[in-house]
Amino acid sequence: MYKFSSSVILCFFLTTTLTAMADDWPQWRGPARNGVATSSPVLASSWPVGGPACIWKSDLIPSDKVGGFGSPAISGGKVYLYVNWKTKTPIPQRRFKEQSLKQMGWIPEAIPDDLRAAVETARISEERLKLKDNPEELNAWLETWVKKHVAEADQPILGRWATDRLRRGATAYPFAMLDALATIRDREFNTPEELDSWFNEQKFSKEWKDKTLYWIPTTNDTSCDTVVCLDASNGSLLWKYEVPGRASDWGSSSTPCIADGRCFVAGDSKVFCLDANTGKLLWSEKTEAQEIAASFIVLDGLAILPAKSLTAFDAQTGAVRWTQQAVDGTKASPVLWQHEGKKYLICQGEKLLSCVEPAAGAVVWSTPNITKVTPAIIGDDLVTFGNESKTGLRAYALSTSGATLRWTVSLADRSACPLIDRGYVYAVGGMPKIKLVCVSMSAGELQWEQPFGNSEYSSPLLADGKILAVKDNGKTLSMVQALPEKYQELAKFNLPITRFTSPALSQGRVVLRLNEALACYELTTPPVPPIQAIP
């Protein structure tokens, strides 16, 4: 016969409790903001054919253009998510906005006839056609063409227009259609039938009519800045906070930061601090920034966020303690760097990587670096990832006097964060062909690379020596062994994951934002409880 020992059970309970406290994912990119689970149980090295076990799936939570692209955070047995929750009400009116016309390639400025003709010949030329699958060569060709055909003084407007039209190539709208559409910009048609009648008069083909209708709203969109809190054990809704927001195509995609019993999150034009247990609003402040993708970091009584200018709010009251205009942007989140017993923030702005003293916001140093990606830091090693094709992946050695560039690797991506693990860097990116790469931290030597589907904007995480990454534009969750010797995919599973979002991990369970819900999956092998034999 066998029975559980009470002392063993108590030990098991305490261990589990302590693990739960240490193994949260309370903010963007996890406990240390570098995508690494600092404490994780052993994860299963393979998944069943049907994928890992689904522990729960929440009620409806919209995503993408009707719900946003925020990623979940996990803390204290709860899951938190910011939702840019939109409601669409059908309307009979049809209005073609000037902004939509501009997005289709129209500009209000007069275009010289010779430039029009040159662009029209070049955009459908054999030379342009050959470059359609090679963005680097296309960019170089565009730059050369514009310099040759557009006077330097005209390049800010006409040069940008020519570049855009040449990039569109054969898919660019015909001039005659753009000119016709310009006559009805911002005009309101009372019914869809009135608009159809206008299209019939212009004799647009069905293909071009359908393309144009895409840009004309058929609903009146309203939006709420919404934060939901779910029970991490079963996915049930514990509370929901919402306040009217600003309707936009993309909205904010901030990840909540949970600290000191509070939930800090950036909405579309306001920032909020909520009671993490009840959802009660503790304070809110309006910002100049909109569509914020960055997330708060809470440090020594300050809640700090890049909202055009790097801004520190009093974590208790919301009062602005300082702003730092030299550190700009709304995309990359600040990261804590500790050196010789002191705390610093490493912040990626629009064009500069900066070190900031957090108490007063003073800039310690800055170095040129163009990306929208949150950097990864372990010790004094920093890796950042940008969209400069020849030097996109970069490693720096940090000191209080500056960041020393150690190496660069020719790989580019617009917004996926890298990982650092045991002396190696793992990064997902590359345009147009996505790949997962492993690079040595010491010398920047490429260890291996592997085609990896489409994983733009979705940042991988690492736990128990395994990399979890979303690829195929949100259709696949992949698990890869973090090995410098070779690429080894352990498992993959098809899921409707919201594009651009990143996983969150706690206690061996991963929470994913699916297209219409949050869902939790078990990644560990079911444990065998300790037992003791009776003599």
Side-chain angles (χ1 to χ4, degrees):
M1 294 177 62
Y2 295 89
K3 71 175 183 178
F4 291 107
S5 163
S6 60
S7 61
V8 171
I9 292 175
L10 177 61
C11 179
F12 179 73
F13 172 79
L14 290 176
T15 301
T16 303
T17 303
L18 291 173
T19 300
M21 295 171 62
D23 195 29
D24 279 343
W25 199 267
Q27 59 182 342
W28 169 242
R29 303 294 289 137
R33 252 189 195 185
N34 54 17
V36 178
T38 53
S39 172
S40 173
V42 176
L43 304 186
S45 58
S46 63
W47 297 335
V49 174
C54 181
I55 303 302
W56 53 258
K57 184 176 179 181
S58 73
D59 292 335
L60 173 67
I61 298 175
S63 297
D64 211 286
K65 288 191 175 183
V66 293
F69 302 91
S71 296
I74 309 171
S75 180
K78 299 178 179 67
V79 179
Y80 301 84
L81 181 71
Y82 167 77
V83 185
N84 186 250
W85 205 306
K86 296 183 180 67
T87 301
K88 295 182 176 293
T89 304
I91 56 174
Q93 297 82 10
R94 297 293 183 264
R95 182 190 295 273
F96 185 60
K97 297 180 180 179
E98 181 172 305
Q99 182 59 34
S100 297
L101 186 59
K102 290 179 178 179
Q103 289 177 300
M104 293 162 61
W106 176 85
I107 60 173
E109 291 78 11
I111 303 167
D113 290 341
D114 58 342
L115 180 58
R116 270 199 182 209
V119 168
E120 288 306 272
T121 299
R123 76 177 177 87
I124 57 175
S125 65
E126 188 70 24
E127 184 179 19
R128 168 64 183 88
L129 184 62
K130 289 179 180 179
L131 300 174
K132 67 176 184 177
D133 295 324
N134 195 323
E136 293 182 18
E137 291 185 10
L138 175 59
N139 288 337
W141 180 78
L142 291 171
E143 183 177 356
T144 301
W145 194 98
V146 169
K147 286 182 178 179
K148 180 179 178 181
H149 292 84
V150 183
E152 185 174 353
D154 293 331
Q155 287 183 11
I157 294 176
L158 296 182
R160 187 182 306 133
W161 166 82
T163 299
D164 175 70
R165 192 160 180 84
L166 291 170
R167 189 182 299 278
R168 295 172 189 261
T171 65
Y173 264 79
F175 278 127
M177 290 186 181
L178 290 177
D179 292 341
L181 290 168
T183 67
I184 62 164
R185 63 188 187 278
D186 292 328
R187 171 181 163 187
E188 185 172 287
F189 295 85
N190 292 321
T191 65
E193 290 74 22
E194 283 188 20
L195 180 60
D196 283 339
S197 177
W198 182 87
F199 274 119
N200 292 336
E201 291 174 5
Q202 304 305 313
K203 295 182 169 50
F204 277 28
S205 69
K206 184 179 185 305
E207 178 187 3
W208 286 109
K209 177 184 174 182
D210 290 345
K211 286 183 178 181
T212 303
L213 288 174
Y214 170 82
W215 296 98
I216 301 176
T218 60
T219 60
N220 181 27
D221 294 349
T222 58
S223 179
C224 284
D225 285 322
T226 305
V227 181
V228 295
C229 175
L230 309 182
D231 188 319
S233 66
N234 58 27
S236 62
L237 180 67
L238 297 177
W239 56 258
K240 177 180 179 181
Y241 172 83
E242 60 182 357
V243 64
R246 185 184 68 92
S248 62
D249 284 345
W250 299 101
S252 172
S253 54
S254 179
T255 297
C257 175
I258 315 303
D260 303 322
R262 296 183 170 214
C263 172
F264 301 85
V265 68
D268 204 47
S269 55
K270 283 186 177 182
V271 296
F272 304 92
C273 175
L274 309 172
D275 185 296
N277 289 318
T278 66
K280 177 184 176 182
L281 177 66
L282 301 177
W283 56 259
S284 68
E285 291 291 333
K286 191 171 179 60
T287 71
E288 294 183 2
Q290 294 178 341
E291 299 187 2
I292 298 173
S295 300
F296 273 105
I297 187 169
V298 178
L299 182 66
D300 296 335
L302 297 175
I304 303 170
L305 178 77
K308 284 194 174 178
S309 298
L310 187 66
T311 305
F313 301 88
D314 185 296
Q316 292 295 315
T317 67
V320 175
R321 293 305 183 196
W322 55 257
T323 59
Q324 178 51 263
Q325 294 182 354
V327 181
D328 55 3
T330 59
K331 306 300 182 185
S333 302
V335 179
L336 175 64
W337 173 51
Q338 300 191 71
H339 182 75
E340 296 181 348
K342 295 184 178 180
K343 298 176 182 178
Y344 302 91
L345 291 177
I346 302 299
C347 306
Q348 177 62 57
E350 293 292 335
K351 296 182 179 180
L352 295 173
L353 180 71
S354 301
C355 177
V356 176
E357 189 279 317
V363 175
V364 180
W365 52 255
S366 292
T367 189
N369 192 66
I370 299 177
T371 181
K372 297 177 181 178
V373 169
T374 302
I377 299 176
I378 291 185
D380 294 335
D381 291 327
L382 178 146
V383 178
T384 186
F385 200 10
N387 61 354
E388 296 182 2
S389 59
K390 295 182 179 179
T391 60
L393 190 62
R394 301 181 179 189
Y396 293 88
L398 297 178
S399 72
T400 53
S401 60
T404 303
L405 184 63
R406 296 174 60 176
W407 50 257
T408 66
V409 169
S410 179
L411 184 73
D413 192 66
R414 286 191 285 185
S415 202
C417 301
L419 296 169
I420 306 173
D421 179 53
R422 294 172 293 179
Y424 293 90
V425 176
Y426 299 88
V428 179
M431 299 297 293
K433 297 179 180 179
I434 306 295
K435 52 191 173 183
L436 173 63
V437 302
C438 175
V439 178
S440 68
M441 187 70 210
S442 58
E445 296 175 346
L446 182 66
Q447 305 298 300
W448 49 258
E449 61 180 43
Q450 175 71 25
F452 205 67
N454 186 345
S455 186
E456 192 176 23
Y457 291 102
S458 182
S459 299
L461 64 82
L462 187 141
D464 184 35
K466 301 174 180 70
I467 298 168
L468 291 176
V470 178
K471 63 179 185 178
D472 300 331
N473 204 26
K475 296 177 182 177
T476 306
L477 178 67
S478 175
M479 181 168 63
V480 176
Q481 191 73 51
L483 287 174
E485 295 84 10
K486 63 178 180 177
Y487 170 82
Q488 182 181 357
E489 184 174 65
L490 300 175
K492 63 180 179 180
F493 179 40
N494 292 335
L495 279 170
I497 304 169
T498 302
R499 58 182 178 146
F500 308 158
T501 62
S502 300
L505 188 79
S506 178
Q507 303 176 57
R509 292 181 173 183
V510 65
V511 176
L512 300 168
R513 187 171 186 179
L514 306 185
N515 290 343
E516 295 184 342
L518 283 177
C520 175
Y521 296 86
E522 180 65 62
L523 300 184
T524 64
T525 301
V528 178
I531 56 177
Q532 178 178 335
I534 297 177

